[in-house]
Amino acid sequence: MDDKEVASTLTLGFSQSFGTPPEILVNSPGRINLIGEHTDYCGGLVLPFASNLSIGFAALPRPEPRVAVEYLDLGEGDSFALPPRIEERGMASSRYLKGVIQALQSNGYRVGGMDLAIMGDLPIEAGMSSSAALELGTCMCAEFCSNLRLDPLTRAKICHQAEREYFGVQCGIMDQYACALGERERVLLIDCATGYIERIPLKLDGSALLVCDSRVRRELSNSAYNLRRRECEEAISLIMSRGKYSSLVEMREDSEWEMEAENLPLRLQPRLKHFIEENQRVRWATECLKNGDLERLGKIIYQSHCSLRDLYHVSIAQLDFLVDRAMATEGVLGSRLMGAGFGGCTLNLVLKEHVDSFKKRIAAEYRERYGLEAVLYEVYPSEGSHFVSI
Ligand code: GLA
């Protein structure tokens, strides 16, 4: 949603729900990751941006310690007392709100009551970080309603803490960083080992980025995700313990890492190979962006998919099908699964003049093969979570 839409729909929706206008509006984007998948939690490189698809919030402080929230898309509401208890019954989405408020409180911030209305065009649980968008939007509303002011980095860290502590996913920092720190027309090259961020212009000239939502939702994926993380960490720490490298960055950048990997247990070798090579692909992709080589960028994006499928084992048949069919379609430069995998979406780099035919063709082929309606969205870099004037 753009800021104008947030201002009109959320102001109206809030006023209808609570009988009074809101005092503050927030636009909170999702995350698109160009490349650098399953590397953030082990200190790798990632290249994400904040998306044009987002969740809008309207808020008004309330005197008593209670949060009332209307989910305008669902036509349903919920309310809970402060301090919140995550385990108490309530709507699934409200758990993210409670998690962020708890994380704020555990960091010493006093959070007061508020009325909230929430609505967006960001698909939920589709691999575009709707959870980070919900968390950051909630955090900003809570800040306003409680007279707090956090900088975007602190905000990202608090929301990341909420995600890890309260939802059992041992995720990395990529989603919250991208959603909080994103900028229009730029991708963020984030070194998750050092926290260093470089902003790189995304000039797609005759191409577009399209997300294809497979409509297959991640199931039982938290445990698989956490297992991948443990395996990758184990591989890295075994190599580091041999003493050849004094830092993770040194190890990550060494071109002779394969010699070190040879003695690792077999189950860990493909995980490490993905980690090292995906970091290399992020560097190459960055070069492609800097010198406008979109053909090569597309090939690197596809290599990332093959690695996620064959070495990291986080793909599923539907995502492989979407990627294979995309790569066989005229005008598609690159395609890969995006996000954690096990369901969710693919990201496709497509020449502009082929966008319409690509959309029709991929949706038809997917419907015929799986009986599912894929949904396609054009995505581009937008501003991270921000206040919108009323
Ligand atoms: C999820 C996590 C991120 C990252 C990706 C995979 O989106 O939240 O931290 O690990 O998966 O790259």
Side-chain angles (χ1 to χ4, degrees):
M1 289 206 285
D2 62 23
D3 287 356
K4 268 193 184 160
E5 274 176 276
V6 170
S8 57
T9 49
L10 268 300
T11 306
L12 181 68
F14 186 97
S15 307
Q16 286 172 343
S17 306
F18 295 101
T20 169
E23 270 182 26
I24 192 74
L25 299 171
V26 172
N27 197 358
S28 192
R31 175 274 295 133
I32 299 298
N33 188 19
L34 198 55
I35 195 161
E37 216 67 89
H38 281 279
T39 55
D40 62 344
Y41 47 71
C42 278
L45 300 170
V46 292
L47 205 54
F49 59 83
S51 73
N52 46 311
L53 303 171
S54 65
I55 303 182
F57 290 71
L60 181 71
R62 77 190 262 158
E64 70 275 28
R66 170 161 280 281
V67 173
V69 50
E70 283 296 322
Y71 297 100
L72 302 175
D73 299 300
L74 305 174
E76 284 181 60
D78 196 7
S79 97
F80 53 90
L82 297 178
R85 288 184 302 131
I86 303 269
E87 57 302 337
E88 82 190 354
R89 281 161 160 259
M91 293 180 60
S93 303
S94 301
R95 297 190 64 216
Y96 290 98
L97 280 53
K98 292 175 190 168
V100 169
I101 295 171
Q102 275 202 9
L104 279 166
Q105 290 175 330
S106 75
N107 282 280
Y109 297 107
R110 287 170 63 107
V111 179
M114 53 186 170
D115 289 337
L116 286 177
I118 299 179
M119 176 172 186
D121 58 4
L122 177 67
I124 305 298
E125 289 178 13
M128 286 176 252
S129 287
S130 54
S131 56
L134 258 180
E135 291 155 7
L136 283 154
T138 304
C139 191
M140 293 190 75
C141 291
E143 286 170 51
F144 177 84
C145 294
S146 315
N147 292 318
L148 305 168
R149 194 78 171 105
L150 306 185
D151 63 86
L153 193 59
T154 309
R155 196 176 285 146
K157 287 182 178 162
I158 287 185
C159 292
H160 180 237
Q161 178 192 336
E163 182 98 26
R164 289 193 57 169
E165 286 183 6
Y166 308 116
F167 308 114
V169 187
Q170 298 306 311
C171 62
I173 56 169
M174 172 171 69
D175 300 349
Q176 287 78 15
Y177 270 47
C179 295
L181 303 167
E183 285 180 17
R184 292 174 68 175
E185 294 169 19
R186 285 182 160 66
V187 293
L188 304 178
L189 171 63
I190 309 175
D191 185 332
C192 301
T194 61
Y196 174 78
I197 300 178
E198 185 183 341
R199 291 166 169 83
I200 298 164
L202 181 66
K203 289 195 219 83
L204 288 177
D205 303 318
S207 310
L209 282 170
L210 287 136
V211 162
C212 177
D213 180 2
S214 69
R215 311 290 294 278
V216 180
R217 294 298 174 248
R218 290 159 52 181
E219 272 173 37
L220 300 176
S221 57
N222 287 2
S223 52
Y225 180 94
N226 292 343
L227 176 62
R228 295 297 180 286
R229 178 182 176 131
R230 276 202 305 280
E231 289 171 341
C232 198
E233 277 171 345
E234 196 184 335
I236 291 173
S237 77
L238 278 172
I239 292 196
M240 295 292 291
S241 68
R242 293 182 194 151
K244 179 170 172 207
Y245 303 111
S246 60
S247 77
L248 167 65
V249 175
E250 210 177 278
M251 187 217 116
R252 209 181 61 190
E253 320 281 289
D254 179 16
S255 57
E256 289 173 14
W257 62 273
E258 262 170 306
M259 302 215 304
E260 295 296 312
E262 268 171 15
N263 299 326
L264 285 179
L266 276 181
R267 72 190 162 87
L268 301 183
Q269 290 185 12
R271 308 293 191 248
L272 184 74
K273 191 169 162 59
H274 169 80
F275 176 77
I276 303 271
E277 292 178 349
E278 186 75 353
N279 285 311
Q280 183 59 40
R281 282 189 284 272
V282 174
R283 272 185 230 106
W284 287 336
T286 306
E287 277 168 30
C288 292
L289 291 182
K290 289 183 176 167
N291 53 36
D293 191 347
L294 296 184
E295 292 243 352
R296 179 161 174 245
L297 176 64
K299 291 195 179 111
I300 296 168
I301 287 176
Y302 178 58
Q303 285 167 7
S304 168
H305 180 78
C306 298
S307 181
L308 290 161
R309 180 191 62 202
D310 302 334
L311 299 178
Y312 225 71
H313 296 148
V314 291
S315 192
I316 56 167
Q318 289 89 336
L319 295 176
D320 290 341
F321 179 86
L322 287 170
V323 168
D324 288 346
R325 295 316 306 151
M327 292 309 293
T329 303
E330 198 185 358
V332 176
L333 302 179
S335 178
R336 67 176 196 85
L337 75 82
M338 187 180 76
F342 310 106
C345 61
T346 63
L347 180 68
N348 304 276
L349 180 61
V350 185
L351 294 177
K352 272 237 162 87
E353 69 262 36
H354 294 282
V355 163
D356 289 336
S357 55
F358 166 70
K359 279 181 171 175
K360 280 192 200 117
R361 191 167 155 179
I362 199 93
E365 292 187 9
Y366 190 58
R367 185 180 311 117
E368 190 180 319
R369 174 71 177 80
Y370 287 103
L372 290 168
E373 290 300 325
V375 189
L376 287 116
Y377 306 88
E378 184 168 345
V379 290
Y380 48 86
S382 305
E383 192 182 342
S385 295
H386 58 279
F387 292 114
V388 173
S389 25
I390 296 208

